[in-house]
């Protein structure tokens, strides 16, 4: 079967409204399709040509971009005996993240390229996807909108960023890389960061990107990338600095930037203190989140 390559509009910042809310991470009754459509409607027609309900929605709910918001929290089944709490970020914060991606995607990609240990990190802004049979796949989404009927499916089929290495856990264990590591090393340890997203201190991203002393000396410069990201994550979680929303891809990007910095510190410290070189005497693999 011949696959068809479809180009995606990289300038469409609202694509993140669809791709950052994976179906597996949101309630089954929820969809951002209408939100995405209305954002384009509002910007195409501006406030004068928009239906009153969309105009009112933008002014009263999305308008005050600096205002904090509360994510909608809900529980899903984690295993046979426990539940996991996820958060659906408020539309205002989702819009803020779209604008943030548009302004800082290149910096995000750079900061997510530093670690040799990461097995799931943004590599570039997605610009295309492949479909085996466009007509066959289109049947899963039918929306009566002239210009967005096909676009909605295409944007659901691709994440905002393309990721390097593995997007599923089983792909890691089936990869030639993992098989070679099994042959090379006799011992493997596994660990999990307990309550990772709930434990993240948002100000720490500035310390990871710069350093603690630099940030303290330049605390008044609010337009730095790290300060902007810190503020956005706080506003999306009721101005809390302890913990970030669980379930959105933006939270995984936020934690990936921090953990990549930690990866580099660990690799440097092991070589400096013990003389062991990464990928020679040892290897460790780390990811913020992998879907099974």
């Amino acid at each position: 079967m011949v696959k068809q390559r479809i180009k995606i509009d990289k300038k469409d910042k609202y694509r993140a409204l669809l791709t950052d809310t994976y179906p597996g991470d949101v309630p089954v009754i929820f969809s951002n399709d209408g939100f995405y459509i209305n954002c384009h409607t509002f910007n195409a027609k501006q406030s004068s040509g928009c239906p009153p309900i969309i105009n009112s929605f933008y002014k009263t709910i999305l308008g005050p971009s600096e205002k904090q918001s509360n994510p909608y929290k809900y529980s899903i089944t984690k295993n046979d005996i426990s539940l996991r709490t996820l958060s659906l970020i408020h539309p205002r914060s989702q819009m803020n993240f779209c604008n943030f991606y548009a302004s800082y995607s290149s910096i995000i990609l750079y900061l997510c390229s530093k670690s040799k240990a990461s097995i799931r990190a943004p590599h570039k802004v997605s610009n295309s996807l492949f479909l085996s049979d466009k007509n066959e796949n289109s049947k899963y989404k039918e929306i009566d909108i002239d210009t967005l009927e096909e676009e909605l499916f295409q944007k659901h089929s691709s994440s905002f960023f393309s990721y390097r290495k593995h997007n599923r856990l089983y792909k890691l264990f089936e990869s030639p890389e993992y098989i070679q590591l099994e042959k090379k090393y006799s011992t493997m340890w596994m660990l999990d960061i307990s309550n990772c997203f709930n434990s993240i201190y948002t100000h720490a991203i500035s310390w990871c990107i710069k350093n603690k002393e630099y940030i303290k000396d330049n605390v008044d410069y609010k337009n730095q990338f790290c300060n902007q990201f810190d503020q956005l994550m706080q506003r999306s979680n009721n101005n809390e600095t302890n913990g970030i929303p669980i379930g959105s891809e933006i939270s995984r990007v936020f934690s990936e930037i921090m953990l990549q910095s930690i990866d580099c510190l660990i690799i440097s410290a092991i070589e400096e203190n013990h003389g062991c070189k990464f990928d020679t005497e040892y290897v460790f693999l780390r990811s913020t989140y992998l879907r099974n």
Side-chain angles (χ1 to χ4, degrees):
M1 185 176 292
V2 179
K3 290 187 176 182
Q4 179 181 7
R5 182 172 181 173
I6 299 177
K7 299 295 291 183
I8 296 174
D9 184 6
K10 296 175 67 174
K11 296 180 181 179
D12 180 12
K13 63 181 181 180
Y14 298 120
R15 183 159 53 93
L17 295 175
L18 300 173
T19 63
D20 273 27
T21 51
Y22 290 94
D25 292 337
V26 297
V28 67
I29 61 173
F30 174 83
S31 170
N32 253 357
D33 289 4
F35 187 20
Y36 171 82
I37 294 169
N38 289 333
C39 285
H40 276 282
T41 301
F42 182 83
N43 283 276
K45 298 182 178 180
Q46 297 303 320
S47 59
S48 58
C50 272
I53 189 171
I54 298 179
N55 206 0
S56 175
F57 176 77
Y58 262 80
K59 290 181 178 179
T60 59
I61 298 179
L62 302 183
S65 60
E66 303 293 321
K67 187 178 179 181
Q68 71 192 65
S69 61
N70 285 312
Y72 172 71
K73 296 185 178 182
Y74 58 99
S75 297
I76 63 172
T77 301
K78 182 178 181 180
N79 50 45
D80 292 339
I81 60 174
S82 62
L83 299 175
R84 182 187 183 198
T85 300
L86 299 181
S87 297
L88 178 60
I89 294 177
H90 190 278
R92 184 189 307 118
S93 291
Q94 291 187 45
M95 283 292 296
N96 288 339
F97 289 136
C98 288
N99 295 327
F100 187 77
Y101 276 160
S103 300
Y104 295 112
S105 59
S106 59
I107 298 179
I108 291 173
L109 295 174
Y110 167 71
L111 293 173
C112 289
S113 66
K114 293 185 174 184
S115 173
K116 301 176 182 178
S118 177
I119 55 177
R120 183 184 185 273
H123 175 63
K124 66 176 184 177
V125 177
S126 297
N127 62 356
S128 64
L129 64 118
F130 290 90
L131 296 179
S132 298
D133 189 332
K134 183 178 177 182
N135 293 328
E136 179 181 351
N137 282 278
S138 296
K139 68 183 180 181
Y140 294 111
K141 185 173 289 293
E142 295 182 3
I143 298 177
D144 188 19
I145 296 172
D146 293 339
T147 59
L148 297 174
E149 183 175 0
E150 296 177 355
E151 291 296 306
L152 278 171
F153 174 74
Q154 294 171 17
K155 291 172 175 62
H156 264 294
S157 302
S158 172
S159 60
F160 186 88
F161 292 110
S162 294
Y163 286 78
R164 59 185 170 96
K165 294 199 174 180
H166 311 290
N167 62 349
R168 297 290 191 275
L169 186 57
Y170 75 88
K171 292 183 180 180
L172 167 65
F173 295 117
E174 293 178 352
S175 67
E177 174 191 12
Y178 183 79
I179 295 173
Q180 289 300 317
L181 290 175
E182 282 189 315
K183 294 178 179 179
K184 186 175 182 180
Y185 300 101
S186 60
T187 304
M188 181 180 74
W189 293 348
M190 298 182 67
L191 60 87
D192 186 18
I193 303 174
S194 180
N195 296 318
C196 177
F197 284 17
N198 288 329
S199 305
I200 288 178
Y201 182 52
T202 60
H203 291 333
I205 192 170
S206 299
W207 308 340
C208 291
I209 295 175
K210 305 287 187 178
N211 59 64
K212 198 169 184 178
E213 291 71 25
Y214 177 88
I215 295 300
K216 287 184 176 180
D217 293 339
N218 297 274
V219 69
D220 293 332
Y221 295 92
K222 302 297 184 181
N223 290 327
Q224 299 181 78
F225 166 83
C226 49
N227 289 337
Q228 292 287 319
F229 210 172
D230 180 9
Q231 290 176 8
L232 284 177
M233 296 307 293
Q234 289 180 51
R235 289 174 187 154
S236 70
N237 199 30
N238 200 26
N239 275 352
E240 293 286 342
T241 58
N242 185 27
I244 60 177
I246 303 173
S248 175
E249 188 63 27
I250 191 71
S251 293
R252 300 185 187 103
V253 172
F254 186 85
S255 58
E256 178 67 25
I257 291 174
M258 296 180 64
L259 291 173
Q260 288 230 356
S261 175
I262 295 172
D263 292 344
C264 294
L265 290 174
I266 292 173
I267 293 172
S268 178
I270 291 176
E271 183 171 358
E272 182 179 344
N273 297 324
H274 303 283
C276 297
K277 293 186 177 181
F278 182 86
D279 213 14
T280 303
E281 283 86 3
Y282 76 99
V283 167
F284 72 89
L285 304 176
R286 192 269 316 149
S287 178
T288 51
Y289 183 72
L290 286 169
R291 290 178 176 80
N292 289 308

